[in-house]
């Protein structure tokens, strides 16, 4: 039998395969974006009237210079902060027009009246480390988000964190107006009232 | 039969290199796409803390970056080991923040100015005193939207 040389491989489709791969990677790679906790600083406005708040409606979260946590003057572990904050916000001991009909808290008369009045005041020392501060901020934001999550599932059968994500996503296909309406309802039920005081020195 | 004429020198034919440019271009495009251009060369240590309740910072044209942290070892002789602010590749003082924000605002499109966010990229070991000073300066120039930029992860990881 005559010995035949191997036929040359047709390379014409190689370019197509290369483009296919290129497009695949183009579509699947996401460019890294920064993410973080977004907050609004209070404006410097000396004319703001001092709102008279009852002591029971304020939860003072203090982080001292050794990164220890004091909540209303009691020491607390960071892992318990979220639950403590949720209990405080969701307490709902108000009566009459301050009543909170969706709160599921204990109704402790020494704690907050309703989520609209409940203020968490975050105080820190100048020597507090930034990472501890962020951890505390994260837990407090998580407390609000967990409560909104619960209400989102009860009222709309949706997941709050997913709703937030969809709302931020410009390519999301869905009823944006309805979503915004629902988010506004949840945000009004549990407004994030987190006051960041200027640090003070505590001995 | 001349139809099945034996070819002379029946060695293996060379592999076609026609697709090589395609492959090279593919790699080129791939790296072009995934590369994030660094705007600032860090002069400071920048180990961001962890958090999981985060929002994404999209639209780079609406973000201003302020870095802070301990100077890198090679700058420590000159700038010490205390936390410092870095603005645009240079070490800066707290008093420079206002001018920086004004300059950033001037360089952006006017209609975007109300939506500008300040991204604070602060090293986890920095004292809050410095961060509070920056926040105070930002309040003075009415740049109230801030984002504490973090890495995604469990907040408890910060305590280790």
């Amino acid at each position: 039998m005559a010995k035949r040389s191997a036929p040359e491989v047709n390379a014409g489709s190689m370019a197509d395969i290369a483009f296919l791969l290129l497009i695949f990677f183009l579509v699947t790679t996401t460019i890294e974006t920064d993410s973080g906790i977004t907050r609004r600083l209070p404006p410097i406005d000396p004319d703001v009237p001092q709102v008279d708040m009852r002591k029971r409606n304020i939860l003072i979260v203090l982080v001292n210079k050794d990164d220890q946590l004091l909540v209303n003057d009691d020491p607390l572990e960071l892992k318990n902060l979220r639950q403590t904050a949720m209990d405080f916000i969701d307490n709902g001991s108000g009566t009459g027009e301050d009543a909170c009909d969706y709160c599921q808290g204990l109704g402790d008369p020494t704690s907050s009246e309703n989520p609209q009045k409940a203020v968490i005041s975050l105080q820190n020392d100048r020597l507090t480390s930034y990472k501890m501060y962020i951890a505390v901020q994260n837990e407090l934001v998580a407390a609000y988000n967990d409560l909104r999550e619960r209400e989102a599932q009860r009222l709309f059968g949706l997941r709050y964190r997913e709703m937030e994500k969809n709302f931020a996503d410009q390519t999301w296909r869905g009823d944006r107006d309805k979503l915004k309406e629902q988010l506004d309802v949840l945000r009004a039920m549990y407004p994030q009232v987190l006051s960041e005081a200027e640090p003070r020195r505590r001995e | 039969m001349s139809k099945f004429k034996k070819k002379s020198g029946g060695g293996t034919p060379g592999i076609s290199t026609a697709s090589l440019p395609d492959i090279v271009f593919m790699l080129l495009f791939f790296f072009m796409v995934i590369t994030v251009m660094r705007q600032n060369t860090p002069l400071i240590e920048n180990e961001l803390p962890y958090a999981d309740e985060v929002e994404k910072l999209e639209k780079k044209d609406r973000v201003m970056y302020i870095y802070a942290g301990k100077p890198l070892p090679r700058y420590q002789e000159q700038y010490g080991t205390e936390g410092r602010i870095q603005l645009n590749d240079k070490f800066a003082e707290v008093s420079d923040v206002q001018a920086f924000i004004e300059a950033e605002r001037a360089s952006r499109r006017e209609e975007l100015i109300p939506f500008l966010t300040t991204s604070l990229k602060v090293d986890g070991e920095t004292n809050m005193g410095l961060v509070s000073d920056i926040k105070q300066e930002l309040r003075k120039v009415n740049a109230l939207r801030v984002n504490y930029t973090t890495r995604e992860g469990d907040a408890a990881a910060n305590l280790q």
Side-chain angles (χ1 to χ4, degrees):
Chain A
M1 219 175 137
K3 198 182 162 201
R4 276 192 281 164
S5 61
E8 209 165 310
V9 180
N10 182 11
S13 56
M14 204 69 124
D16 298 279
I17 297 167
F19 268 106
L20 206 72
L21 281 171
L22 172 69
I23 290 165
F24 172 75
F25 281 117
L26 272 174
V27 171
T28 54
T29 341
T30 46
I31 305 172
E32 211 183 319
T33 47
D34 288 326
S35 59
I37 302 172
T38 304
R39 297 233 61 90
R40 255 198 109 75
L41 299 176
I44 294 190
D45 200 348
D47 304 328
V48 167
Q50 273 292 318
V51 187
D52 185 33
M53 281 184 295
R54 285 185 213 163
K55 196 167 165 275
R56 68 183 218 184
N57 281 325
I58 308 174
L59 184 75
I60 297 172
V61 178
L62 174 77
V63 194
N64 75 1
K65 67 178 168 57
D66 300 318
D67 287 354
Q68 287 153 335
L69 210 57
L70 280 177
V71 177
N72 277 351
D73 294 333
D74 296 321
L76 192 77
E77 295 256 349
L78 179 73
K79 61 175 190 287
N80 300 329
L81 176 63
R82 187 187 299 202
Q83 194 55 50
T84 309
M86 279 169 72
D87 289 344
F88 165 74
I89 303 160
D90 203 31
N91 183 52
S93 66
T95 47
E97 60 178 40
D98 290 334
C100 168
D101 49 8
Y102 51 87
C103 291
Q104 296 175 13
L106 298 169
D108 182 355
T110 61
S111 190
S112 80
E113 287 172 275
N114 59 38
Q116 284 74 31
K117 285 200 166 179
V119 176
I120 296 182
S121 164
L122 177 54
Q123 299 173 2
N124 61 272
D125 191 273
R126 283 192 73 89
L127 289 174
T128 306
S129 83
Y130 180 66
K131 57 183 183 181
M132 182 63 186
Y133 181 76
I134 288 299
V136 172
Q137 282 260 11
N138 187 63
E139 289 306 299
L140 295 178
V141 174
Y144 282 106
N145 283 354
D146 279 359
L147 289 169
R148 289 176 183 174
E149 183 84 66
R150 192 191 74 201
E151 291 305 308
Q153 294 197 2
R154 188 175 66 87
L155 294 175
F156 311 119
L158 294 169
R159 301 182 65 88
Y160 176 73
R161 287 180 174 87
E162 227 155 80
M163 288 162 76
E164 282 271 20
K165 216 162 88 194
N166 287 339
F167 190 67
D169 183 3
Q170 295 296 327
T171 58
W172 183 68
R173 293 153 160 275
D175 194 344
R176 291 190 80 83
D177 295 334
K178 193 176 159 212
L179 186 67
K180 185 172 188 326
E181 220 168 83
Q182 291 177 337
L183 281 175
D184 285 344
V185 169
L186 294 172
R187 286 176 187 153
M189 285 169 101
Y190 290 105
Q192 242 183 53
V193 201
L194 235 168
S195 131
E196 295 175 51
E198 286 148 45
R200 58 187 77 172
R201 196 161 265 295
R202 288 203 174 203
E203 300 308 326
Chain B
M1 283 254 220
S2 61
K3 232 183 179 175
F4 299 105
K5 198 167 65 188
K6 192 179 171 187
K7 273 185 193 158
S8 57
T12 46
I15 298 167
S16 165
T17 52
S19 58
L20 212 58
D22 299 295
I23 296 166
V24 173
F25 267 108
M26 184 182 75
L27 283 172
L28 173 72
F29 284 141
F30 176 66
F31 283 111
M32 275 172 70
V33 167
I34 62 160
T35 319
V36 186
M37 296 280 173
R38 250 191 195 286
Q39 284 165 330
N40 292 309
T41 23
L43 306 173
I44 48 156
E45 281 177 26
N46 210 234
E47 287 261 311
L48 300 177
Y50 293 97
D52 46 17
E53 300 290 333
V54 292
E55 285 169 46
K56 275 207 176 117
L57 264 183
E58 267 151 316
K59 304 209 176 93
K60 289 256 154 64
D61 56 338
R62 298 184 188 178
V63 184
M64 308 179 277
Y65 294 97
I66 294 180
Y67 296 80
K70 203 165 78 170
L72 286 175
R74 61 176 178 278
Y75 299 109
Q76 280 180 3
E77 223 169 87
Q78 199 179 349
Y79 295 101
T81 52
E82 274 290 297
R84 301 275 305 215
I85 304 171
Q86 180 190 345
L87 305 168
N88 287 338
D89 293 343
K90 280 199 288 288
F91 284 110
E93 299 297 327
V94 173
S95 53
D96 299 331
V97 171
Q98 291 194 25
F100 168 76
I101 296 292
E102 293 297 349
E104 284 283 302
R105 279 180 177 161
S107 69
R108 307 296 167 113
R109 296 215 309 275
E110 199 179 335
E111 66 267 27
L112 291 182
I113 289 175
F115 303 105
L116 286 177
T117 308
T118 314
S119 161
L120 294 177
K121 293 195 166 187
V122 181
D123 186 87
E125 299 294 337
T126 316
N127 291 339
M128 270 312 288
L130 182 69
V131 183
S132 308
D133 289 344
I134 298 173
K135 272 161 54 179
Q136 204 57 24
E137 292 298 306
L138 291 177
R139 286 174 65 190
K140 282 184 205 158
V141 280
N142 219 25
L144 301 177
R145 285 170 64 96
V146 293
N147 180 286
Y148 302 108
T149 306
T150 57
R151 283 182 288 179
E152 281 206 68
D154 193 11
N158 288 328
L159 303 184
Q160 277 131 38

